[in-house]
Amino acid sequence: RSMREEQIILEQIAEVMNERSCREVEKKTGLHRNKIWRMAQGMPFTLDYNVIFALGRLGYHLELVENSIDTYRPGKVSHKKDT
């Protein structure tokens, strides 16, 4: 997973959190305002069960998708395709 893909996920979650007021999200999900604010700003946060359930209460879910062997190589430093 590239750094850009992780940024896209944070940006998408920020959009979801910004659709409603912080107070409304807190009431609907039970998350603390500080965590909601961080998520709404696109800042890194701990992805725990509370976040997963909160996103579910807002009508969203996260999906874990396996990368193909060509797209993820733990030892690879460069982002260029090997030849």
Side-chain angles (χ1 to χ4, degrees), residues 7-50:
Q7 289 173 341
I8 290 171
I9 291 169
L10 293 175
E11 289 169 9
Q12 290 171 328
I13 290 176
E15 288 174 16
V16 168
M17 292 297 156
N18 282 310
E19 289 174 355
R20 299 168 179 84
S21 72
C22 186
R23 180 166 276 141
E24 183 183 349
V25 174
E26 179 185 35
K27 195 178 222 181
K28 190 166 189 168
T29 65
L31 292 176
H32 294 286
R33 286 187 199 172
N34 186 33
K35 188 161 199 165
I36 295 166
W37 182 84
R38 289 181 62 80
M39 294 169 73
Q41 299 302 311
M43 299 172 81
F45 58 89
T46 302
L47 179 62
D48 55 18
Y49 285 114
N50 293 334

